[in-house]
C-alpha cells in the first residue's frame, strides 16, 4: 500500500462535509461527514438534482437557502472561481418527516479537467448551528467560544476575500460598461466571460451562448473586400496568441445597412478563466464621411479631365456606388428633342452580381416632373415602381439635376437595405448631385457655344459668297462705264466713287472669306523661300499713296529671306500699317522696322497716339472686336484685320504681340529666319 493513495476512501473519510455536483447541478458523490450532517444515505442523494434533494422548508415563508445556494453555484459556473457564501439558515429534511433547523458556512469551488473544462463543483459546508443558537441564546460557554473563534476568523477571511473578489469584478464591469467600444473577454473555448453593454447590443442577447467560432456566420461578418470571415476572426486570432491591430470587419445583415468596425485584440495570460480580449470600435459614420469626401474629390477630378459626357456619367456612377455604398446607380439624361428621359449609364456592385433590369422610367420621371428628390423606401409598394424588375433591390433615391428652369437629368441610386442612413441621402442631394449639375451645365454651354460658332462661321461664308457675285458685276459694269466716251466730270467722279467703294467692299468680303476659312481650319497659306524686304516696302508705298497725313519711315536690311507666303505676309503688313495710320496723331511718323535676331525675323510697326485701354488689350485680336474709342471717334474698321493677321502669322509658326513703351504703340511680328541677315539700314 506504500506510495499509493485511495482517493475515494480519502474523500469519504474527510472530516469536513463535502458533496460533489456536475455542471447540471446533479449530485454525483457525497462523503460520510456530509451524509451524517444531513441525516441522509448516499443512495438517497447520488444522481438526484441538488435542490430536489434539499428543498426549502415549506413551513418557513422566509426560507432563502435554495435561492442563495443556486446564485452561488451559478457564479461558479459563469466566473469559474471559488465562491464563499455567508452563514445562512438552510433547514434539512428529517428521515421521519419535517425539517431540522440548521445554520451553515458553505463554500463552492470549481474542479477543472486536464483540458481546462469545468467538470465538477465541490460544495463544502460546515454546520454552525450550535454557534448561531448559542449566540442567539447568550449562553455560549467559553469552550464553545474558543472552538468557534478560530472558525469565525477563517470564515471572516473567506468572506472578505469573496467580497473583495466581487468588488473587483463589479469595478471591472463598471469600467468596461463605461467604454464606448464593445469589449469582450473570452475563455479558451472562445465563450464570452466578460463583456459590456455595448458588446451585448452589438452581438445580441445570446452573447453568453455564442462561441467566437460562431460569430462569423451568425453575425454576417466579412472582410473589407467582401470575403466572409471564418478562422481569421480577430478574437480567434487572439486566442491563437496573436496581437491584432486595426483589423477591419464589415457586418452585412440582409436588409440592413452595413456596419464597419475596427477591432484590436490580444491574448491574456495570468487571468484564470480568461484567455483573450478584443475591443470593437464602430467606425461606420467615420468611414461614410471619408467616403463622401473621397467621392466628391474623385468626381471633381473627373470634371477636370473633360471626359465625354456618357463616359463621365458612367464613371461617376461607379464612384458613387462603390464609395458611398449603393448597390446600383443610374443616370437618366433629358432629351430635348424627344422631350423625354433616357437612361445613359448604369453601374451595379460586382460583388452583388445584380442583373440589369429593363429601364423603368417611372421614378426618374416623377423626380423630373416635381423637381424634387424622391425617396422610395419600398420599390414594390410604390405606384410608379411596382412594375419594375427589382430583384434584391428594395429602396431607391431619385435626385433631379436642374439648370435654371430646366432639368438636365436625374440621378437614381438603389439599395438592398430596407433603411438608408439620412446622411447618405443628404450627401447625394446636397453634395454629389450639384457636382453632376455643374458638369452638365458646362457641357451644355460648350455644346451651345460650339453650335453658335458653327452657325457664325456658316453665316460668314454665306454672306461672303452671296455678296461677292453681285459685287463683281458692279465692279465690271463700273469699269465698262468709265471707258465710255463723252462722260461728264461729275459722272466720272461718281463712277470713280462707286469703283473705290466697291473695291473696299470687295476687300472686306475677301477678309470675311479668309476668316471663315481660318475658323474652319482651311486658311490657304503657301510657304516658299522669299525675301520679306520688298513685301514690306511695297506695303509701305501703298500706304503712303492712300494716306497724306503721316510720314512712313522704313528701316530694313537689303534682304530678309524666310519661308513664307508673300501674298499673305503682304496682308499682314497692310493690316499693321492701316491700323497704325488710323491711330497715329496727325503729322506724326509711323515707324516700320525689319530685322533679325539669332532665330527670328522681326517686323515692327510703331505709331504715336492714344494708348490702348488696359481692359481691351487682351481682346485686340478677337474676331469683330472694336474698342470703345474706335466707335466713339468714328475710326473705320471691321474688327477683322488683326484677327486675320494673327491667323496668318500663326500659319508661319510665328507670333504677333503689342507693346506700349511710353506714348508709342508697337506691333511686333516674329517669324522663323531662314539664315542670319545683315544689320538693318535706314531707308526713307
Amino acid at each position: 500500500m506504500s506510495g499509493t493513495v485511495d482517493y475515494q476512501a480519502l474523500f469519504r473519510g474527510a472530516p469536513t462535509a463535502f458533496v460533489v455536483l456536475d455542471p447540471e447541478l446533479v449530485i454525483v458523490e457525497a462523503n460520510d461527514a456530509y451524509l451524517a450532517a444531513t441525516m441522509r444515505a448516499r443512495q438517497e442523494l447520488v444522481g438526484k438534482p441538488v435542490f430536489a434533494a434539499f428543498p426549502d422548508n415549506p413551513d418557513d415563508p422566509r426560507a432563502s437557502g435554495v435561492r442563495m445556494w443556486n446564485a452561488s453555484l451559478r457564479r461558479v459556473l459563469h466566473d469559474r472561481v471559488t465562491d464563499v457564501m455567508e452563514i445562512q439558515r438552510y433547514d434539512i429534511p428529517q428521515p421521519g418527516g419535517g425539517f431540522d433547523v440548521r445554520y451553515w458556512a458553505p463554500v463552492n469551488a470549481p474542479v477543472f479537467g486536464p483540458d481546462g473544462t469545468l467538470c465538477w463543483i465541490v460544495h463544502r459546508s460546515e454546520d454552525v448551528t450550535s454557534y448561531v443558537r448559542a449566540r442567539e441564546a447568550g449562553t455560549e460557554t467559553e469552550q464553545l467560544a474558543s472552538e468557534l473563534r478560530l472558525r469565525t476568523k477563517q470564515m471572516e477571511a473567506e468572506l472578505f476575500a469573496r467580497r473583495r473578489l466581487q468588488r473587483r469584478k463589479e469595478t471591472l464591469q463598471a469600467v468596461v460598461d463605461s467604454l464606448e467600444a464593445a469589449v469582450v473577454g473570452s475563455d479558451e473555448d472562445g465563450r464570452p466571460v466578460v463583456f459590456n453593454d455595448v458588446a451585448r447590443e452589438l452581438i445580441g442577447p445570446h452573447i453568453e451562448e455564442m462561441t467566437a467560432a460562431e460569430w462569423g456566420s451568425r453575425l454576417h461578418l466579412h472582410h473589407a473586400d467582401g470575403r466572409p470571415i471564418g478562422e481569421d476572426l480577430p478574437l480567434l486570432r487572439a486566442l491563437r496568441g496573436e496581437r491584432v491591430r486595426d483589423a477591419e470587419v464589415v457586418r452585412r445583415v440582409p436588409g440592413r445597412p452595413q456596419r464597419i468596425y475596427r477591432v484590436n485584440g490580444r491574448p491574456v495570460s495570468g487571468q484564470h478563466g480568461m484567455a483573450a480580449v478584443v475591443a470593437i470600435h464602430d467606425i461606420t459614420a467615420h468611414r461614410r464621411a471619408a467616403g463622401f469626401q473621397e467621392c466628391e474629390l474623385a468626381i471633381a477630378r473627373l470634371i477636370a479631365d473633360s471626359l465625354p459626357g456618357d463616359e463621365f456619367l458612367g464613371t461617376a456612377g461607379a464612384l458613387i456606388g462603390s464609395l458611398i455604398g449603393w448597390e446600383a446607380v443610374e443616370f437618366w439624361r433629358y432629351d430635348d428633342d424627344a422631350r423625354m428621359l433616357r437612361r445613359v449609364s448604369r453601374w451595379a456592385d460586382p460583388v452583388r452580381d445584380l442583373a440589369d433590369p429593363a429601364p423603368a422610367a417611372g421614378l426618374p420621371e416623377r423626380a423630373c416632373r416635381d423637381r424634387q428628390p424622391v425617396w422610395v423606401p419600398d420599390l414594390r409598394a410604390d405606384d410608379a415602381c411596382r412594375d419594375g424588375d427589382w430583384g434584391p433591390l428594395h429602396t431607391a433615391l431619385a435626385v433631379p439635376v436642374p439648370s435654371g428652369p430646366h432639368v438636365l437629368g436625374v440621378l437614381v441610386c438603389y439599395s438592398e437595405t430596407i433603411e438608408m442612413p439620412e446622411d447618405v441621402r443628404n450627401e447625394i442631394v446636397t453634395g454629389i448631385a450639384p457636382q453632376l449639375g455643374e458638369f452638365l451645365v458646362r457641357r451644355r454651354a460648350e455644346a451651345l457655344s460650339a453650335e453658335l460658332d458653327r452657325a457664325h462661321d456658316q453665316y460668314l461664308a454665306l454672306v461672303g459668297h452671296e455678296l461677292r457675285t453681285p459685287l463683281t458685276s458692279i465692279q465690271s459694269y463700273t469699269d465698262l462705264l468709265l471707258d465710255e466716251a463723252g462722260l461728264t466730270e461729275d459722272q466720272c467722279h461718281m463712277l470713280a466713287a462707286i469703283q473705290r467703294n466697291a473695291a473696299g467692299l470687295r476687300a472686306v468680303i475677301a477678309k470675311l472669306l479668309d476668316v471663315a476659312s481660318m475658323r474652319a481650319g482651311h486658311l490657304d497659306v503657301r510657304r516658299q523661300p522669299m525675301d520679306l524686304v520688298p513685301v514690306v516696302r511695297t506695303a509701305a508705298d501703298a500706304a503712303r499713296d492712300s494716306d497724306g497725313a503721316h510720314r512712313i519711315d522704313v528701316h530694313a536690311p537689303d534682304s530678309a529671306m524666310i519661308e513664307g507666303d508673300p501674298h499673305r505676309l503682304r496682308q499682314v503688313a497692310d493690316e499693321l500699317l492701316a491700323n497704325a495710320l488710323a491711330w497715329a496723331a496727325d503729322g506724326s511718323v509711323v515707324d516700320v522696322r525689319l530685322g533679325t535676331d539669332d532665330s527670328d525675323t522681326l517686323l515692327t510697326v510703331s505709331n504715336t497716339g492714344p494708348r490702348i485701354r488696359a481692359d481691351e488689350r487682351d481682346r485686340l485680336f478677337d474676331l469683330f472686336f472694336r474698342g470703345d474709342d474706335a466707335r466713339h471717334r468714328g475710326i473705320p474698321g471691321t474688327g477683322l484685320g488683326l484677327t486675320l493677321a494673327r491667323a496668318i502669322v500663326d500659319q508661319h509658326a510665328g507670333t504677333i504681340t503689342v507693346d506700349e513703351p511710353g506714348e508709342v504703340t508697337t506691333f511686333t511680328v516674329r517669324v522663323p529666319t531662314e539664315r542670319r541677315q545683315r544689320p538693318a539700314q535706314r531707308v526713307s
Side-chain angles (χ1 to χ4, degrees), residues 423-546:
D423 60 341
V424 176
R425 285 184 277 164
N426 290 341
E427 172 63 19
I428 294 295
V429 174
T430 63
I432 303 300
Q435 281 188 294
L436 300 182
E438 175 189 342
F439 169 81
L440 293 177
V441 167
R442 193 180 76 179
R443 285 300 170 88
R444 190 180 191 196
E446 290 172 354
L448 290 174
S449 177
E451 183 178 349
L452 182 61
D453 282 346
R454 287 193 298 271
H456 186 269
D457 295 341
Q458 292 170 357
Y459 177 74
L460 288 179
L462 177 64
V463 169
H465 286 292
E466 291 299 319
L467 290 179
R468 186 166 56 179
T469 299
L471 187 59
T472 300
S473 299
I474 292 173
Q475 283 186 305
S476 299
Y477 286 119
T478 302
D479 292 340
L480 290 174
L481 288 173
L482 283 171
D483 291 337
E484 289 290 329
L487 293 176
T488 66
E489 183 178 351
D490 288 342
Q491 289 172 334
C492 289
H493 179 73
M494 288 186 290
L495 289 173
I498 294 173
Q499 188 181 49
R500 183 174 60 256
N501 286 298
L505 184 56
R506 186 177 182 86
V508 172
I509 291 172
K511 289 181 183 179
L512 280 174
L513 293 174
D514 279 340
V515 168
S517 298
M518 172 194 73
R519 292 174 63 85
H522 304 306
L523 183 63
D524 185 22
V525 174
R526 300 179 181 181
R527 298 173 66 178
Q528 62 186 31
M530 60 163 287
D531 188 353
L532 190 57
V533 173
V535 173
V536 173
R537 286 179 176 175
T538 303
D541 291 341
R544 291 189 188 99
D545 292 341
S546 62

Side-chain angles (χ1 to χ4, degrees), residues 90 194 207 222 267 303 307 310 414 446 454 500 502 507 586 682:
Y90 200 135
V194 175
I207 181 173
H222 297 76
I303 293 175
L307 294 174
D310 292 348
Y414 299 93
E446 290 172 354
R454 287 193 298 271
R500 183 174 60 256
D586 289 344
R682 180 179 179 82

Side-chain angles (χ1 to χ4, degrees), residues 370-442:
D370 298 342
R371 296 175 52 79
Q372 294 290 334
V374 178
W375 168 245
V376 179
D378 188 350
L379 289 165
R380 293 160 185 79
D382 188 82
D383 291 339
C385 307
R386 186 176 298 146
D387 297 333
D389 179 14
W390 303 113
L393 300 177
H394 200 290
T395 60
L397 174 66
V399 182
V401 179
S403 173
H406 306 288
V407 172
L408 303 181
V410 178
L411 175 68
V412 188
C413 304
Y414 299 93
S415 176
E416 290 183 351
T417 61
I418 298 173
E419 298 178 358
M420 179 56 63
E422 186 175 355
D423 60 341
V424 176
R425 285 184 277 164
N426 290 341
E427 172 63 19
I428 294 295
V429 174
T430 63
I432 303 300
Q435 281 188 294
L436 300 182
E438 175 189 342
F439 169 81
L440 293 177
V441 167
R442 193 180 76 179

Side-chain angles (χ1 to χ4, degrees), residues 256-369:
R256 295 175 59 186
Q258 73 174 18
R259 308 295 297 180
I260 304 173
Y261 303 97
R262 186 178 67 246
V263 184
N264 295 303
R266 65 177 180 86
V268 175
S269 59
Q271 294 292 328
H272 184 68
M274 187 183 300
V277 63
V278 291
I280 307 168
H281 304 263
D282 189 335
I283 59 172
T284 306
H286 172 74
R287 282 301 175 86
R288 280 207 302 262
F292 299 158
Q293 184 178 18
E294 185 179 353
C295 186
E296 290 187 20
L297 290 174
I299 291 178
R301 287 193 293 268
L302 280 181
I303 293 175
D305 290 342
S306 299
L307 294 174
D310 292 348
E311 182 180 348
F312 167 84
L313 294 171
T315 306
L319 290 171
I320 294 168
S322 59
L323 295 178
I324 298 183
W326 298 93
E327 275 69 48
V329 179
E330 298 176 347
F331 194 85
W332 296 68
R333 191 200 297 274
Y334 189 79
D335 188 330
D336 291 318
D337 296 330
R339 294 185 175 277
M340 63 181 295
L341 288 167
R342 299 185 187 277
R343 194 180 77 176
V344 296
S345 70
R346 182 180 190 270
W347 172 88
D349 187 352
V351 175
R352 300 292 194 277
D353 193 24
L354 299 175
D356 184 3
L363 181 59
E365 284 177 350
R366 190 199 314 176
C368 181
R369 180 186 67 246

Side-chain angles (χ1 to χ4, degrees), residues 651-684:
Q651 291 294 315
H652 284 78
T655 61
I656 181 170
T657 57
V658 62
D659 191 21
E660 289 185 298
E663 298 296 324
V664 178
T665 300
T666 301
F667 283 82
T668 301
V669 174
R670 286 178 171 267
V671 293
T673 301
E674 184 184 56
R675 60 180 180 271
R676 294 178 64 87
Q677 307 290 344
R678 293 179 300 176
Q681 298 176 354
R682 180 179 179 82
V683 179
S684 300

